Amino acid sequence: VYSDEIGGKNLAEYTYRNLKLKTAVIFASPNSDYSNSLREAFTRDFEKLGGSVVRYPLIDLTNPLLDIRREISTTVYNKANQAEAVMLFPHTKHTDIAIRIAEEINRRNNIIRKNSQTRQFKQLTMLGGDSLYKPATAEGKNINGLILSVPWFRGTEEAKAFADNSRNQWGAEISWRTATTFDAARALIQSLSGSASRNSVLRKLANANLPKNETSGYPLQFSEDKERLG
């Protein structure tokens, strides 16, 4: 998959430049490498642009005493900690908690929107990482407006041919997990060609160069840091 550096940067730029939001609060899983790397990348790039993260560095999704309603209420109404955007960066084990947070945010946004006494407060915008791109999220009771950064999306022009072929093959829509798995398999198969050894596979993977017609839609190459380019 693509580096969390890219996902964090895209979310920071989209929040600050496209949505024009300057303050954010982060809900994350502090013991997760994925959650931490995405949070750190977002925070660094968001602050570099001029934004600020309130209640720094995060609100712990894994806290057994987490009171979702109280945390969202504090984020909306407490001027010292007021945020405009809520970033949801859960480990896959904690996506159900993140979905409940999104549902509470929409409940609170509806109150602000409908009640003249609360219109002075800003509605919260929700954004998240690719761990939330799953059927359980789509089935959430009330999470309209949740914006996610994912490594691959079947709705783009580049991905359309692969998405259509996959739908015809399997009779269902696919996600970024299927697409990136396909790309990984193609790179590994290419690296196993010839007289393969551990060293030759590693060397060939480092020099992998697959055109977009041989992948899920985007060319595949790796950086010197062994991260996917693009």
Side-chain angles (χ1 to χ4, degrees), residues 26-87:
I26 300 174
F27 287 83
S29 308
N31 296 319
S32 161
D33 289 342
Y34 159 77
S35 188
N36 280 328
S37 64
L38 189 58
R39 174 184 60 79
E40 290 167 1
F42 169 82
T43 300
R44 182 185 63 247
D45 287 295
F46 192 58
E47 291 180 342
K48 195 179 296 182
L49 289 167
S52 62
V53 174
V54 299
R55 308 180 75 183
Y56 184 89
L58 59 87
I59 297 174
D60 185 357
L61 282 170
T62 67
N63 181 358
L65 301 178
L66 179 68
D67 186 327
I68 292 174
R69 286 202 171 187
R70 185 184 67 189
E71 296 295 350
I72 299 303
S73 180
T74 299
T75 296
V76 172
Y77 301 125
N78 188 320
K79 290 185 177 180
N81 296 303
Q82 209 167 44
E84 300 168 298
V86 173
M87 316 307 297

Short mmCIF file of all heavy atoms in Angstrom, two decimals, residues 26-87:
data_model
loop_
_atom_site.label_atom_id
_atom_site.label_comp_id
_atom_site.label_asym_id
_atom_site.label_seq_id
_atom_site.Cartn_x
_atom_site.Cartn_y
_atom_site.Cartn_z
N ILE A 26 -7.92 15.03 16.98
CA ILE A 26 -7.61 13.69 16.45
C ILE A 26 -8.04 12.61 17.44
O ILE A 26 -7.65 12.65 18.61
CB ILE A 26 -6.11 13.54 16.15
CG1 ILE A 26 -5.66 14.58 15.11
CG2 ILE A 26 -5.80 12.13 15.68
CD1 ILE A 26 -4.16 14.59 14.88
N PHE A 27 -8.84 11.67 16.96
CA PHE A 27 -9.15 10.46 17.71
C PHE A 27 -8.31 9.34 17.11
O PHE A 27 -8.42 9.06 15.91
CB PHE A 27 -10.64 10.11 17.60
CG PHE A 27 -11.54 11.02 18.40
CD1 PHE A 27 -11.95 12.24 17.89
CD2 PHE A 27 -11.98 10.64 19.66
CE1 PHE A 27 -12.79 13.07 18.62
CE2 PHE A 27 -12.83 11.46 20.40
CZ PHE A 27 -13.22 12.69 19.88
N ALA A 28 -7.50 8.68 17.92
CA ALA A 28 -6.57 7.69 17.37
C ALA A 28 -6.30 6.58 18.38
O ALA A 28 -6.69 6.67 19.55
CB ALA A 28 -5.26 8.35 16.96
N SER A 29 -5.65 5.53 17.89
CA SER A 29 -5.26 4.38 18.72
C SER A 29 -3.77 4.51 19.03
O SER A 29 -2.93 4.23 18.18
CB SER A 29 -5.53 3.07 17.98
OG SER A 29 -6.86 3.03 17.49
N PRO A 30 -3.39 4.94 20.24
CA PRO A 30 -1.99 5.30 20.54
C PRO A 30 -1.01 4.15 20.46
O PRO A 30 0.19 4.39 20.32
CB PRO A 30 -2.07 5.88 21.96
CG PRO A 30 -3.31 5.29 22.54
CD PRO A 30 -4.27 5.16 21.41
N ASN A 31 -1.46 2.90 20.52
CA ASN A 31 -0.54 1.77 20.47
C ASN A 31 -0.48 1.12 19.10
O ASN A 31 0.09 0.03 18.95
CB ASN A 31 -0.95 0.73 21.53
CG ASN A 31 -0.83 1.27 22.94
OD1 ASN A 31 0.12 1.96 23.27
ND2 ASN A 31 -1.82 0.98 23.77
N SER A 32 -1.03 1.80 18.10
CA SER A 32 -1.04 1.26 16.74
C SER A 32 -0.02 2.00 15.88
O SER A 32 -0.04 3.23 15.80
CB SER A 32 -2.44 1.41 16.13
OG SER A 32 -2.40 1.32 14.73
N ASP A 33 0.88 1.26 15.23
CA ASP A 33 1.86 1.88 14.33
C ASP A 33 1.15 2.63 13.21
O ASP A 33 1.55 3.74 12.84
CB ASP A 33 2.79 0.82 13.74
CG ASP A 33 3.75 0.26 14.78
OD1 ASP A 33 3.93 0.90 15.82
OD2 ASP A 33 4.31 -0.82 14.53
N TYR A 34 0.11 2.01 12.64
CA TYR A 34 -0.63 2.65 11.55
C TYR A 34 -1.26 3.96 12.03
O TYR A 34 -1.11 5.01 11.40
CB TYR A 34 -1.73 1.72 11.04
CG TYR A 34 -2.84 2.43 10.31
CD1 TYR A 34 -2.67 2.88 9.00
CD2 TYR A 34 -4.06 2.69 10.95
CE1 TYR A 34 -3.68 3.56 8.34
CE2 TYR A 34 -5.07 3.36 10.29
CZ TYR A 34 -4.89 3.80 8.99
OH TYR A 34 -5.89 4.48 8.35
N SER A 35 -1.96 3.89 13.14
CA SER A 35 -2.65 5.06 13.67
C SER A 35 -1.67 6.19 13.98
O SER A 35 -1.89 7.36 13.66
CB SER A 35 -3.43 4.67 14.93
OG SER A 35 -4.26 5.72 15.38
N ASN A 36 -0.55 5.83 14.61
CA ASN A 36 0.45 6.84 14.97
C ASN A 36 1.11 7.47 13.75
O ASN A 36 1.34 8.69 13.72
CB ASN A 36 1.51 6.24 15.89
CG ASN A 36 1.04 6.13 17.32
OD1 ASN A 36 0.27 6.96 17.79
ND2 ASN A 36 1.49 5.11 18.03
N SER A 37 1.45 6.65 12.75
CA SER A 37 2.14 7.21 11.59
C SER A 37 1.23 8.15 10.81
O SER A 37 1.66 9.20 10.34
CB SER A 37 2.67 6.09 10.68
OG SER A 37 1.61 5.33 10.14
N LEU A 38 -0.06 7.79 10.69
CA LEU A 38 -1.00 8.66 9.99
C LEU A 38 -1.23 9.95 10.78
O LEU A 38 -1.26 11.05 10.22
CB LEU A 38 -2.32 7.92 9.78
CG LEU A 38 -3.36 8.59 8.88
CD1 LEU A 38 -2.79 8.84 7.48
CD2 LEU A 38 -4.62 7.74 8.78
N ARG A 39 -1.36 9.81 12.09
CA ARG A 39 -1.56 10.99 12.96
C ARG A 39 -0.36 11.93 12.89
O ARG A 39 -0.53 13.15 12.76
CB ARG A 39 -1.79 10.53 14.40
CG ARG A 39 -1.85 11.68 15.41
CD ARG A 39 -1.98 11.16 16.82
NE ARG A 39 -0.87 10.31 17.22
CZ ARG A 39 0.32 10.78 17.61
NH1 ARG A 39 0.57 12.09 17.61
NH2 ARG A 39 1.29 9.94 17.97
N GLU A 40 0.84 11.38 12.97
CA GLU A 40 2.04 12.21 12.94
C GLU A 40 2.20 12.92 11.60
O GLU A 40 2.56 14.10 11.56
CB GLU A 40 3.27 11.35 13.25
CG GLU A 40 3.33 10.88 14.69
CD GLU A 40 4.37 9.80 14.92
OE1 GLU A 40 5.06 9.42 13.94
OE2 GLU A 40 4.48 9.31 16.06
N ALA A 41 1.92 12.20 10.51
CA ALA A 41 2.04 12.82 9.19
C ALA A 41 1.02 13.93 9.02
O ALA A 41 1.34 15.03 8.53
CB ALA A 41 1.85 11.76 8.10
N PHE A 42 -0.22 13.68 9.44
CA PHE A 42 -1.26 14.72 9.34
C PHE A 42 -0.89 15.93 10.18
O PHE A 42 -0.96 17.07 9.69
CB PHE A 42 -2.62 14.17 9.80
CG PHE A 42 -3.65 15.27 9.96
CD1 PHE A 42 -4.34 15.75 8.84
CD2 PHE A 42 -3.90 15.83 11.19
CE1 PHE A 42 -5.26 16.78 8.98
CE2 PHE A 42 -4.83 16.86 11.34
CZ PHE A 42 -5.51 17.32 10.23
N THR A 43 -0.52 15.70 11.43
CA THR A 43 -0.21 16.80 12.34
C THR A 43 0.93 17.66 11.80
O THR A 43 0.84 18.90 11.78
CB THR A 43 0.15 16.27 13.74
OG1 THR A 43 -0.95 15.52 14.26
CG2 THR A 43 0.48 17.41 14.69
N ARG A 44 1.99 17.03 11.34
CA ARG A 44 3.14 17.76 10.83
C ARG A 44 2.76 18.64 9.63
O ARG A 44 3.07 19.82 9.59
CB ARG A 44 4.25 16.78 10.43
CG ARG A 44 5.52 17.47 9.92
CD ARG A 44 6.54 16.48 9.42
NE ARG A 44 6.05 15.72 8.28
CZ ARG A 44 5.79 14.41 8.32
NH1 ARG A 44 5.97 13.72 9.42
NH2 ARG A 44 5.34 13.80 7.24
N ASP A 45 2.06 18.06 8.66
CA ASP A 45 1.72 18.81 7.46
C ASP A 45 0.62 19.84 7.72
O ASP A 45 0.64 20.92 7.12
CB ASP A 45 1.30 17.85 6.34
CG ASP A 45 2.48 17.09 5.76
OD1 ASP A 45 3.36 17.73 5.16
OD2 ASP A 45 2.55 15.87 5.93
N PHE A 46 -0.31 19.53 8.61
CA PHE A 46 -1.38 20.48 8.93
C PHE A 46 -0.80 21.71 9.64
O PHE A 46 -1.17 22.85 9.31
CB PHE A 46 -2.41 19.79 9.83
CG PHE A 46 -3.69 20.55 10.02
CD1 PHE A 46 -4.48 20.92 8.93
CD2 PHE A 46 -4.13 20.89 11.29
CE1 PHE A 46 -5.67 21.62 9.10
CE2 PHE A 46 -5.32 21.57 11.48
CZ PHE A 46 -6.08 21.93 10.39
N GLU A 47 0.11 21.49 10.57
CA GLU A 47 0.73 22.62 11.28
C GLU A 47 1.65 23.41 10.36
O GLU A 47 1.76 24.63 10.48
CB GLU A 47 1.50 22.10 12.49
CG GLU A 47 0.59 21.56 13.60
CD GLU A 47 1.34 21.03 14.80
OE1 GLU A 47 2.56 20.75 14.65
OE2 GLU A 47 0.73 20.89 15.87
N LYS A 48 2.29 22.71 9.43
CA LYS A 48 3.16 23.39 8.47
C LYS A 48 2.36 24.36 7.60
O LYS A 48 2.86 25.42 7.21
CB LYS A 48 3.87 22.35 7.59
CG LYS A 48 5.05 22.88 6.79
CD LYS A 48 5.68 21.77 5.96
CE LYS A 48 6.28 20.69 6.83
NZ LYS A 48 6.95 19.63 6.02
N LEU A 49 1.13 24.00 7.31
CA LEU A 49 0.25 24.86 6.50
C LEU A 49 -0.31 26.04 7.31
O LEU A 49 -0.78 27.01 6.72
CB LEU A 49 -0.91 24.03 5.94
CG LEU A 49 -0.55 23.02 4.85
CD1 LEU A 49 -1.72 22.07 4.61
CD2 LEU A 49 -0.18 23.74 3.55
N GLY A 50 -0.28 25.94 8.64
CA GLY A 50 -0.83 27.00 9.47
C GLY A 50 -1.95 26.55 10.37
O GLY A 50 -2.50 27.34 11.14
N GLY A 51 -2.34 25.27 10.29
CA GLY A 51 -3.40 24.75 11.14
C GLY A 51 -2.88 24.36 12.51
O GLY A 51 -1.68 24.37 12.76
N SER A 52 -3.80 24.02 13.40
CA SER A 52 -3.40 23.59 14.74
C SER A 52 -4.27 22.41 15.18
O SER A 52 -5.44 22.32 14.83
CB SER A 52 -3.52 24.74 15.75
OG SER A 52 -4.87 25.17 15.86
N VAL A 53 -3.64 21.52 15.95
CA VAL A 53 -4.34 20.37 16.51
C VAL A 53 -4.64 20.67 17.97
O VAL A 53 -3.71 20.88 18.77
CB VAL A 53 -3.49 19.09 16.39
CG1 VAL A 53 -4.15 17.93 17.13
CG2 VAL A 53 -3.27 18.73 14.93
N VAL A 54 -5.91 20.75 18.33
CA VAL A 54 -6.30 21.01 19.71
C VAL A 54 -6.38 19.70 20.48
O VAL A 54 -6.47 18.63 19.89
CB VAL A 54 -7.65 21.76 19.78
CG1 VAL A 54 -7.56 23.10 19.06
CG2 VAL A 54 -8.78 20.92 19.18
N ARG A 55 -6.28 19.78 21.79
CA ARG A 55 -6.25 18.61 22.67
C ARG A 55 -5.13 17.66 22.23
O ARG A 55 -5.29 16.45 22.18
CB ARG A 55 -7.63 17.94 22.67
CG ARG A 55 -8.75 18.92 22.99
CD ARG A 55 -10.11 18.28 22.99
NE ARG A 55 -10.29 17.49 24.21
CZ ARG A 55 -11.38 16.77 24.46
NH1 ARG A 55 -12.34 16.72 23.57
NH2 ARG A 55 -11.49 16.10 25.57
N TYR A 56 -4.02 18.27 21.89
CA TYR A 56 -2.82 17.60 21.36
C TYR A 56 -2.30 16.55 22.34
O TYR A 56 -2.32 16.79 23.54
CB TYR A 56 -1.76 18.68 21.10
CG TYR A 56 -0.49 18.19 20.47
CD1 TYR A 56 -0.36 18.14 19.09
CD2 TYR A 56 0.57 17.78 21.27
CE1 TYR A 56 0.82 17.69 18.52
CE2 TYR A 56 1.74 17.33 20.69
CZ TYR A 56 1.86 17.29 19.32
OH TYR A 56 3.03 16.84 18.75
N PRO A 57 -1.78 15.40 21.88
CA PRO A 57 -1.68 15.00 20.47
C PRO A 57 -2.89 14.24 19.95
O PRO A 57 -3.08 14.13 18.76
CB PRO A 57 -0.43 14.11 20.46
CG PRO A 57 -0.46 13.45 21.80
CD PRO A 57 -1.02 14.48 22.75
N LEU A 58 -3.72 13.67 20.89
CA LEU A 58 -4.84 12.85 20.44
C LEU A 58 -5.81 12.59 21.58
O LEU A 58 -5.49 12.80 22.76
CB LEU A 58 -4.35 11.51 19.88
CG LEU A 58 -3.54 10.61 20.82
CD1 LEU A 58 -4.44 9.71 21.67
CD2 LEU A 58 -2.59 9.71 20.03
N ILE A 59 -6.99 12.12 21.22
CA ILE A 59 -7.93 11.55 22.18
C ILE A 59 -7.90 10.04 21.97
O ILE A 59 -8.05 9.56 20.85
CB ILE A 59 -9.35 12.11 21.97
CG1 ILE A 59 -9.35 13.63 22.21
CG2 ILE A 59 -10.34 11.44 22.92
CD1 ILE A 59 -10.66 14.31 21.89
N ASP A 60 -7.71 9.31 23.04
CA ASP A 60 -7.44 7.88 22.98
C ASP A 60 -8.72 7.07 22.72
O ASP A 60 -9.60 6.98 23.58
CB ASP A 60 -6.79 7.45 24.30
CG ASP A 60 -6.35 6.00 24.30
OD1 ASP A 60 -6.60 5.29 23.31
OD2 ASP A 60 -5.74 5.58 25.31
N LEU A 61 -8.78 6.47 21.54
CA LEU A 61 -9.93 5.64 21.19
C LEU A 61 -10.00 4.36 22.02
O LEU A 61 -11.07 3.75 22.13
CB LEU A 61 -9.85 5.23 19.70
CG LEU A 61 -10.24 6.27 18.66
CD1 LEU A 61 -9.85 5.77 17.28
CD2 LEU A 61 -11.73 6.55 18.72
N THR A 62 -8.88 3.95 22.59
CA THR A 62 -8.83 2.68 23.32
C THR A 62 -9.14 2.83 24.80
O THR A 62 -9.19 1.83 25.52
CB THR A 62 -7.44 2.03 23.17
OG1 THR A 62 -6.47 2.84 23.86
CG2 THR A 62 -7.04 1.93 21.71
N ASN A 63 -9.35 4.04 25.25
CA ASN A 63 -9.64 4.30 26.66
C ASN A 63 -10.99 3.67 27.03
O ASN A 63 -12.03 4.05 26.48
CB ASN A 63 -9.68 5.80 26.92
CG ASN A 63 -9.94 6.14 28.37
OD1 ASN A 63 -10.13 5.26 29.22
ND2 ASN A 63 -9.95 7.42 28.69
N PRO A 64 -11.00 2.71 27.96
CA PRO A 64 -12.28 2.06 28.31
C PRO A 64 -13.28 3.01 28.94
O PRO A 64 -14.48 2.72 28.98
CB PRO A 64 -11.85 0.96 29.30
CG PRO A 64 -10.53 1.40 29.83
CD PRO A 64 -9.87 2.15 28.71
N LEU A 65 -12.80 4.17 29.43
CA LEU A 65 -13.69 5.15 30.05
C LEU A 65 -14.06 6.28 29.08
O LEU A 65 -14.63 7.29 29.49
CB LEU A 65 -13.01 5.75 31.28
CG LEU A 65 -12.62 4.75 32.39
CD1 LEU A 65 -11.93 5.47 33.53
CD2 LEU A 65 -13.85 4.00 32.89
N LEU A 66 -13.76 6.10 27.79
CA LEU A 66 -14.06 7.12 26.80
C LEU A 66 -15.55 7.43 26.77
O LEU A 66 -16.38 6.54 26.53
CB LEU A 66 -13.61 6.66 25.41
CG LEU A 66 -13.89 7.63 24.25
CD1 LEU A 66 -13.02 8.88 24.38
CD2 LEU A 66 -13.61 6.93 22.91
N ASP A 67 -15.89 8.68 27.02
CA ASP A 67 -17.29 9.15 26.97
C ASP A 67 -17.44 9.94 25.67
O ASP A 67 -17.06 11.10 25.60
CB ASP A 67 -17.59 10.02 28.18
CG ASP A 67 -19.06 10.44 28.27
OD1 ASP A 67 -19.68 10.61 27.20
OD2 ASP A 67 -19.56 10.60 29.38
N ILE A 68 -17.99 9.30 24.65
CA ILE A 68 -18.04 9.90 23.32
C ILE A 68 -18.83 11.19 23.31
O ILE A 68 -18.39 12.20 22.75
CB ILE A 68 -18.61 8.88 22.31
CG1 ILE A 68 -17.62 7.73 22.11
CG2 ILE A 68 -18.91 9.56 20.97
CD1 ILE A 68 -18.15 6.60 21.24
N ARG A 69 -19.99 11.20 23.92
CA ARG A 69 -20.83 12.42 23.92
C ARG A 69 -20.12 13.58 24.61
O ARG A 69 -20.16 14.71 24.14
CB ARG A 69 -22.18 12.14 24.58
CG ARG A 69 -23.10 11.30 23.71
CD ARG A 69 -24.55 11.46 24.10
NE ARG A 69 -25.42 10.83 23.13
CZ ARG A 69 -26.74 10.92 23.14
NH1 ARG A 69 -27.34 11.64 24.10
NH2 ARG A 69 -27.47 10.33 22.23
N ARG A 70 -19.47 13.28 25.72
CA ARG A 70 -18.77 14.34 26.44
C ARG A 70 -17.60 14.87 25.63
O ARG A 70 -17.37 16.09 25.57
CB ARG A 70 -18.27 13.83 27.79
CG ARG A 70 -17.64 14.92 28.67
CD ARG A 70 -17.09 14.34 29.94
NE ARG A 70 -15.95 13.46 29.67
CZ ARG A 70 -15.37 12.68 30.58
NH1 ARG A 70 -15.86 12.62 31.80
NH2 ARG A 70 -14.33 11.93 30.25
N GLU A 71 -16.85 13.98 24.98
CA GLU A 71 -15.69 14.41 24.19
C GLU A 71 -16.13 15.29 23.01
O GLU A 71 -15.49 16.31 22.72
CB GLU A 71 -14.92 13.20 23.68
CG GLU A 71 -14.30 12.32 24.76
CD GLU A 71 -13.22 13.02 25.57
OE1 GLU A 71 -12.81 14.14 25.19
OE2 GLU A 71 -12.80 12.45 26.58
N ILE A 72 -17.18 14.90 22.32
CA ILE A 72 -17.66 15.70 21.19
C ILE A 72 -18.23 17.02 21.67
O ILE A 72 -18.01 18.07 21.05
CB ILE A 72 -18.70 14.92 20.36
CG1 ILE A 72 -18.07 13.65 19.78
CG2 ILE A 72 -19.27 15.79 19.25
CD1 ILE A 72 -16.85 13.88 18.92
N SER A 73 -18.95 16.99 22.78
CA SER A 73 -19.50 18.23 23.35
C SER A 73 -18.38 19.20 23.70
O SER A 73 -18.47 20.41 23.42
CB SER A 73 -20.33 17.90 24.60
OG SER A 73 -20.87 19.07 25.16
N THR A 74 -17.30 18.69 24.31
CA THR A 74 -16.15 19.54 24.65
C THR A 74 -15.54 20.14 23.39
O THR A 74 -15.17 21.32 23.35
CB THR A 74 -15.09 18.72 25.40
OG1 THR A 74 -15.66 18.21 26.60
CG2 THR A 74 -13.88 19.56 25.72
N THR A 75 -15.42 19.33 22.33
CA THR A 75 -14.83 19.78 21.08
C THR A 75 -15.66 20.87 20.42
O THR A 75 -15.13 21.78 19.78
CB THR A 75 -14.66 18.58 20.12
OG1 THR A 75 -13.74 17.66 20.70
CG2 THR A 75 -14.13 19.02 18.77
N VAL A 76 -16.98 20.80 20.58
CA VAL A 76 -17.87 21.78 19.94
C VAL A 76 -17.99 23.06 20.76
O VAL A 76 -17.90 24.17 20.22
CB VAL A 76 -19.27 21.16 19.72
CG1 VAL A 76 -20.26 22.23 19.25
CG2 VAL A 76 -19.21 20.03 18.71
N TYR A 77 -18.20 22.92 22.08
CA TYR A 77 -18.62 24.06 22.89
C TYR A 77 -17.53 24.72 23.74
O TYR A 77 -17.69 25.85 24.19
CB TYR A 77 -19.78 23.64 23.80
CG TYR A 77 -20.97 23.12 23.05
CD1 TYR A 77 -21.50 21.86 23.32
CD2 TYR A 77 -21.59 23.89 22.06
CE1 TYR A 77 -22.61 21.38 22.63
CE2 TYR A 77 -22.69 23.41 21.36
CZ TYR A 77 -23.19 22.16 21.65
OH TYR A 77 -24.28 21.68 20.97
N ASN A 78 -16.43 24.03 23.99
CA ASN A 78 -15.37 24.59 24.81
C ASN A 78 -14.44 25.44 23.95
O ASN A 78 -13.71 24.92 23.11
CB ASN A 78 -14.58 23.46 25.50
CG ASN A 78 -13.59 23.98 26.51
OD1 ASN A 78 -12.94 24.98 26.29
ND2 ASN A 78 -13.46 23.25 27.62
N LYS A 79 -14.45 26.73 24.15
CA LYS A 79 -13.69 27.64 23.28
C LYS A 79 -12.20 27.34 23.29
O LYS A 79 -11.51 27.51 22.28
CB LYS A 79 -13.96 29.09 23.68
CG LYS A 79 -15.36 29.57 23.34
CD LYS A 79 -15.53 31.05 23.63
CE LYS A 79 -16.92 31.53 23.21
NZ LYS A 79 -17.11 32.97 23.49
N ALA A 80 -11.68 26.91 24.44
CA ALA A 80 -10.24 26.65 24.54
C ALA A 80 -9.83 25.44 23.70
O ALA A 80 -8.68 25.34 23.27
CB ALA A 80 -9.85 26.44 26.00
N ASN A 81 -10.77 24.51 23.48
CA ASN A 81 -10.45 23.28 22.76
C ASN A 81 -11.31 23.11 21.51
O ASN A 81 -11.43 22.01 20.98
CB ASN A 81 -10.64 22.07 23.67
CG ASN A 81 -9.70 22.07 24.85
OD1 ASN A 81 -8.50 22.11 24.67
ND2 ASN A 81 -10.23 22.05 26.05
N GLN A 82 -11.90 24.20 21.03
CA GLN A 82 -12.85 24.10 19.93
C GLN A 82 -12.17 23.71 18.63
O GLN A 82 -11.15 24.28 18.25
CB GLN A 82 -13.57 25.44 19.76
CG GLN A 82 -14.97 25.34 19.21
CD GLN A 82 -15.71 26.66 19.36
OE1 GLN A 82 -15.16 27.73 19.09
NE2 GLN A 82 -16.95 26.60 19.80
N ALA A 83 -12.73 22.74 17.95
CA ALA A 83 -12.18 22.28 16.68
C ALA A 83 -13.22 22.44 15.58
O ALA A 83 -14.41 22.52 15.84
CB ALA A 83 -11.75 20.83 16.78
N GLU A 84 -12.73 22.51 14.35
CA GLU A 84 -13.62 22.58 13.19
C GLU A 84 -13.66 21.23 12.47
O GLU A 84 -14.65 20.90 11.81
CB GLU A 84 -13.12 23.64 12.21
CG GLU A 84 -13.05 25.03 12.79
CD GLU A 84 -12.27 25.98 11.89
OE1 GLU A 84 -11.07 25.73 11.67
OE2 GLU A 84 -12.89 26.95 11.41
N ALA A 85 -12.57 20.45 12.60
CA ALA A 85 -12.49 19.16 11.93
C ALA A 85 -12.14 18.07 12.95
O ALA A 85 -11.38 18.31 13.88
CB ALA A 85 -11.42 19.19 10.84
N VAL A 86 -12.74 16.91 12.76
CA VAL A 86 -12.43 15.75 13.59
C VAL A 86 -11.77 14.70 12.71
O VAL A 86 -12.34 14.26 11.71
CB VAL A 86 -13.70 15.17 14.24
CG1 VAL A 86 -13.37 13.86 14.96
CG2 VAL A 86 -14.30 16.16 15.22
N MET A 87 -10.55 14.31 13.08
CA MET A 87 -9.81 13.30 12.33
C MET A 87 -9.97 11.96 13.04
O MET A 87 -9.69 11.86 14.25
CB MET A 87 -8.33 13.67 12.24
CG MET A 87 -8.04 15.15 11.92
SD MET A 87 -8.90 15.76 10.44
CE MET A 87 -8.18 14.73 9.19
#
